[in-house]
Amino acid sequence: MNDFECSYQGVLLAGVDEVGRGPLCGDVVTAAVILDPSRPIEGLADSKRLTDKRRAGLFDQIREQALAWSVARANVEEIDQLNILHATMLAMQRAVEGLDPVPEFVLIDGNRCPNLAMPSEAVVKGDSRVAEISAASILAKVTRDREMESLGQLYPDYGFAKHKGYPTAQHLEALERLGPTPFHRRSFGPVKRLLQEA
C-alpha cells in the first residue's frame, strides 16, 4: 500500500472508488474517504481481496476513524439514461460533494476523473496502492453487497445475495426464467435482449 507518490502532501486528501459497474442489476455505489493521519487504520487493501468478515470490520473502523467519509450512488434509471460510465462519474461527484471537511485534492481509482471543484488525479489499481482509495472501495463494496442481500430477500428466486447482480450463469438463468425485476438495468445487453423478445 502507498507505493503511489502523490503530488499533494496536505491532510485533506480524499480517495474515491466505485462498486457495481458490471452488474445487470442495482445501483452503482461510490464512496469518498479522507483518512485521519492521527488515527491510522491497519489492514487496508483492495476490498475484493479481503474476506467478508475483514471487510465488515474495516467498514465500521473507517466510518469511526476517518476524518470524513461519504457514500453516494447513481440509480438504475440514471445508469440507463446516461450510460454506466457517465452514471459512475456522477456518483463519484456526489460522493466527493458529501465530504465535510471539503478535500483539497482527490485521488480516483481508475483511469479517468469526474469533474470536481478541486484538483484530482486518476490512479490505476488505486485500491491496492492508495490507503484512501482502499478505504473508499471497502465502504462502497460493503454498502452495495448489503443492498443486494436485501434485494435477495425481496426476490428470493434470483440469487442476488450470492452473485450481487453480476451476470453469472445462475443470474442469467433466473433472468431468462423469471424476467427482469424493476431493479434490473434495461440498457444492459442480456436484460435489453429479454425485453426486446418480450
Side-chain angles (χ1 to χ4, degrees):
M1 190 59 73
N2 287 339
D3 75 336
F4 173 76
E5 199 57 54
C6 181
S7 55
Y8 170 80
Q9 293 300 312
V11 175
L12 295 177
L13 173 70
V16 178
D17 202 1
E18 55 70 32
V19 172
R21 280 176 71 162
L24 305 176
C25 181
D27 298 349
V28 60
V29 176
T30 55
V33 177
I34 302 174
L35 292 174
D36 184 345
S38 68
R39 303 182 77 194
I41 297 168
E42 290 295 313
L44 290 173
D46 173 1
S47 64
K48 297 181 285 295
R49 293 188 185 158
L50 299 167
T51 63
D52 288 351
K53 188 180 176 186
R54 186 75 188 110
R55 258 199 308 269
L58 284 166
F59 177 83
D60 293 336
Q61 213 181 335
I62 292 159
R63 298 198 312 166
E64 203 179 293
Q65 290 175 223
L67 210 53
W69 62 270
S70 163
V71 172
R73 67 194 56 249
N75 63 30
V76 172
E77 290 76 18
E78 289 170 320
I79 293 167
D80 286 338
Q81 198 181 343
L82 299 170
N83 80 34
I84 187 62
L85 174 65
H86 290 103
T88 302
M89 293 294 125
L90 175 64
M92 285 180 167
Q93 283 172 339
R94 288 171 175 164
V96 173
E97 284 163 9
L99 291 172
D100 182 18
V102 174
E104 291 175 353
F105 198 93
V106 181
L107 295 174
I108 310 277
D109 185 56
N111 59 6
R112 63 178 71 209
C113 296
N115 288 328
L116 298 172
M118 65 290 293
S120 62
E121 188 178 342
V123 185
V124 174
K125 295 196 175 10
D127 47 9
S128 56
R129 299 173 67 198
V130 176
E132 287 80 2
I133 295 178
S134 167
S137 83
I138 290 163
L139 291 192
K141 180 156 176 58
V142 172
T143 299
R144 192 178 190 284
D145 283 359
R146 287 176 179 175
E147 287 172 7
M148 294 310 293
E149 284 157 16
S150 299
L151 198 61
Q153 291 174 343
L154 270 181
Y155 298 94
D157 296 334
Y158 287 82
F160 290 131
K162 196 171 178 190
H163 55 65
K164 309 294 190 281
Y166 284 88
T168 61
Q170 180 198 10
H171 188 185
L172 293 170
E173 185 277 323
L175 199 54
E176 197 74 43
R177 186 163 42 90
L178 304 163
T181 69
F183 299 93
H184 276 92
R185 301 171 181 178
R186 269 56 191 153
S187 58
F188 276 46
V191 185
K192 196 176 177 178
R193 253 195 323 277
L194 270 179
L195 292 168
Q196 283 167 347
E197 285 165 12

